[in-house]
């Protein structure tokens, strides 16, 4: 009570209080105040996102330099180019933590300067106070999902190609499958709604052309009954078709029939086969749904791509959740004490959510959790925490 009785607001606080009190009560909230809070929040958030992106990019650049040190023919300019192409990807990666730390800085500064106290004294609730920062966080997450992710996928794909060509050893992404290839695709050549299952014992990418050998194709009807088996010693993937050489047809209860060369239509191209083995980060949010359908029709595993797609969809809600979490841990009045402990708890909560998201991602990739649950669980946990903190601060 003593602290409350000795508090004497300065002239600028008195003027600010009058601005809040003279607002239109039917509007419910001052537009000037909303713009002011949104500007402070966005400045703090963008500063934190840029700082975190620069820090992560610096470590990435150092790692690229270490890998390039064993290759004298790789110039430093190439390392700088690869690191620069990674920057949009890291912006998406650090965005939730940038919003969390930026929100903590913004709201704690408003609390220390007594601006938040004056707003509360004017009858503005925490929910009204947080409306504009929450809208800014949701809009930032939406723009990141729809805009920056498309830019990031193109630049990350270019960086991966340069990295694969100059800094890595091996025969390319197809070697991750041991040189063998299994796929399932639609096949309407014999019966409507038919299916073809292709297996190649050896796969090589030569001058941009996919070469296969030891090819076996099982052509099935819509009830998965075998119609004919196709055997070919070699072949290649052309423009939306498989070109097989020295082909033999094996019908049930019939002798093998030699037919020579044969073509089989396909939805696949060399680029799509390569992308199926590449990181989902090389595809934008707009390209992922169609590519996931193609992978499932072709028999490729699509769980990583579905998980990445759901994570991009959850990003705007996660950004808004981080804004609420930062407010819940940083809007405590300084006269109550324990402010440093609350700020430290907010940072710890952010890292805890990061840990939960990574654990859920691993469960999702292993198939233990559905991709939707694995991608949205951290967002739901953070939202519950933020609402509980704000309810306690406002009504508790």
């Amino acid at each position: 009570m003593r602290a409350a009785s000795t508090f004497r607001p300065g002239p600028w606080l008195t003027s600010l209080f009058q601005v809040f009190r003279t607002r239109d009560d039917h509007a419910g909230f001052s537009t000037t105040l909303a713009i002011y809070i949104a500007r402070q929040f966005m400045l703090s958030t963008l500063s934190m996102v840029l700082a975190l992106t620069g820090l992560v990019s610096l470590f990435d650049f150092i790692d690229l330099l270490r890998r390039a040190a064993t290759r004298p023919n790789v110039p430093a300019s190439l390392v700088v180019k690869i690191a620069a192409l990674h920057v949009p990807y890291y912006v998406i990666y650090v965005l939730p933590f940038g919003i969390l730390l930026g929100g903590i800085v913004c709201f704690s500064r408003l609390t220390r300067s007594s601006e938040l106290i004056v707003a509360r004294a004017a009858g503005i609730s925490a929910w009204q106070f947080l409306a504009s920062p929450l809208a800014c966080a949701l809009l930032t997450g939406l723009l990141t999902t729809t805009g920056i992710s498309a830019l990031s996928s193109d630049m990350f794909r270019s960086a991966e190609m340069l990295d694969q060509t100059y800094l890595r050893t091996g025969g390319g992404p197809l070697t991750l499958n041991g040189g063998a290839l299994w796929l399932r695709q639609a096949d309407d050549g014999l019966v409507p709604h038919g299916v073809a299952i292709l297996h190649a014992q050896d796969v090589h990418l030569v001058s941009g052309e996919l070469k296969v050998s030891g090819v076996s194709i099982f052509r099935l009807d819509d009830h998965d009954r075998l119609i004919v088996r196709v055997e070919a010693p070699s072949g290649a993937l052309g423009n939306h078709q498989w070109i097989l050489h020295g082909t033999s047809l094996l019908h049930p209860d019939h002798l093998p029939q030699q037919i020579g060369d044969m073509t089989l239509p396909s939805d696949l191209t060399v680029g799509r086969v390569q992308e199926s083995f590449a990181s989902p980060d090389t595809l934008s949010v707009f390209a992922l749904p169609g590519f996931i359908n193609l992978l499932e029709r072709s028999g490729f595993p699509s769980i990583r791509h579905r998980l990445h797609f759901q994570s991009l969809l959850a990003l705007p809600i996660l950004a808004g959740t981080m804004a609420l979490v930062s407010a819940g841990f940083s809007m405590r009045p300084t006269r109550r004490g324990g402010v440093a402990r609350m700020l430290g708890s907010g940072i710890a909560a952010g890292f805890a959510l990061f840990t939960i998201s990574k654990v859920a991602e691993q469960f999702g990739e292993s198939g233990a959790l559905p991709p939707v649950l694995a991608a949205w669980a951290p967002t739901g946990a953070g939202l519950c925490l933020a609402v509980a903190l704000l309810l306690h601060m406002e009504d508790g």
Side-chain angles (χ1 to χ4, degrees):
M1 297 297 296
R2 175 179 293 179
S5 62
T6 59
F7 176 74
R8 295 292 185 271
W12 69 275
L13 285 179
T14 304
S15 301
L16 187 62
F17 181 81
Q18 293 298 326
V19 170
F20 295 157
R21 292 296 294 172
T22 56
R23 74 189 193 281
D24 184 4
D25 291 334
H26 296 287
F29 190 49
S30 171
T31 304
T32 303
L33 178 61
I35 295 175
Y36 173 74
I37 298 172
R39 183 171 65 249
Q40 295 295 321
F41 178 79
M42 289 303 298
L43 288 175
S44 299
T45 297
L46 292 177
S47 299
M48 282 296 174
V49 170
L50 292 176
L52 292 175
T53 302
L55 182 62
V56 176
S57 299
L58 177 61
F59 283 109
D60 178 57
F61 177 69
I62 294 173
D63 180 66
L64 290 172
L65 282 178
R66 178 188 59 81
R67 293 167 53 194
T70 59
R71 298 177 178 273
N73 60 331
V74 176
S77 59
L78 180 65
V79 176
V80 174
K81 183 178 181 180
I82 296 176
L85 291 173
H86 285 163
V87 169
Y89 168 76
Y90 291 128
V91 169
I92 300 175
Y93 190 80
V94 306
L95 178 67
F97 306 100
I99 291 178
L100 175 67
L101 297 179
I104 288 177
V105 171
C106 173
F107 295 129
S108 61
R109 184 170 60 243
L110 292 176
T111 302
R112 288 196 309 270
S113 62
S114 299
E115 292 173 271
L116 177 59
I117 298 175
V118 173
R120 300 292 296 276
I124 298 175
S125 67
W127 307 107
Q128 291 175 307
F129 188 85
L130 294 175
S132 55
L134 178 60
C136 290
L138 291 173
L139 182 60
T140 301
L142 183 62
L143 291 176
T144 302
T145 297
T146 56
I148 298 181
S149 70
L151 176 65
S152 171
S153 61
D154 291 336
M155 297 179 67
F156 195 83
R157 186 185 306 115
S158 300
E160 287 291 290
M161 293 177 61
L162 293 174
D163 196 345
Q164 185 70 45
T165 304
Y166 295 101
L167 298 181
R168 296 181 187 175
T169 59
L174 289 175
T175 59
L176 297 177
N177 204 31
L181 179 67
W182 279 97
L183 64 88
R184 179 186 177 97
Q185 66 177 47
D187 181 14
D188 298 329
L190 298 179
V191 294
H193 308 294
V195 174
I197 299 176
L198 184 145
H199 174 241
Q201 297 178 358
D202 194 18
V203 183
H204 293 286
L205 191 62
V206 181
S207 300
E209 186 177 6
L210 190 66
K211 301 285 188 180
V212 293
S213 59
V215 183
S216 298
I217 302 177
F218 303 90
R219 306 183 72 176
L220 314 175
D221 61 12
D222 54 347
H223 298 289
D224 291 337
R225 289 191 295 261
L226 180 65
I227 300 176
V228 62
R229 175 178 174 178
V230 180
E231 295 284 344
S234 63
L237 178 60
N239 186 16
H240 292 284
Q241 63 178 0
W242 290 100
I243 304 173
L244 306 176
H245 308 292
T247 309
S248 300
L249 299 182
L250 289 84
H251 293 272
D253 301 326
H254 289 76
L255 294 175
Q257 178 185 359
Q258 297 289 336
I259 63 170
D261 294 344
M262 172 185 170
T263 60
L264 180 68
S266 175
D267 293 333
L268 295 175
T269 62
V270 176
R272 288 180 173 178
V273 173
Q274 287 182 285
E275 289 173 353
S276 67
F277 291 93
S279 170
D281 298 306
T282 59
L283 295 172
S284 69
V285 67
F286 304 106
L288 278 169
F291 192 74
I292 290 171
N293 292 331
L294 175 65
L295 289 179
E296 292 176 347
R297 291 197 309 267
S298 303
F300 290 115
S302 62
I303 189 167
R304 290 194 308 151
H305 296 78
R306 287 188 285 135
L307 182 61
H308 182 62
F309 178 64
Q310 293 296 330
S311 298
L312 289 177
L313 293 182
L315 184 59
I317 308 300
L318 180 60
T321 298
M322 286 301 187
L324 295 178
V325 170
S326 66
F329 280 106
S330 59
M331 292 175 64
R332 180 185 179 92
T334 56
R335 59 184 174 84
R336 295 185 181 180
V339 176
R341 185 172 62 253
M342 288 292 292
L343 295 180
S345 300
I347 297 175
F351 283 103
L353 290 176
F354 173 77
T355 303
I356 292 174
S357 66
K358 289 303 175 184
V359 171
E361 181 180 345
Q362 293 300 319
F363 277 113
E365 290 185 356
S366 65
L369 286 178
V372 175
L373 180 60
W376 288 86
T379 302
L383 186 59
C384 292
L385 173 63
V387 171
L389 287 171
L390 292 174
L391 287 175
H392 174 72
M393 181 184 66
E394 181 70 7
D395 303 321

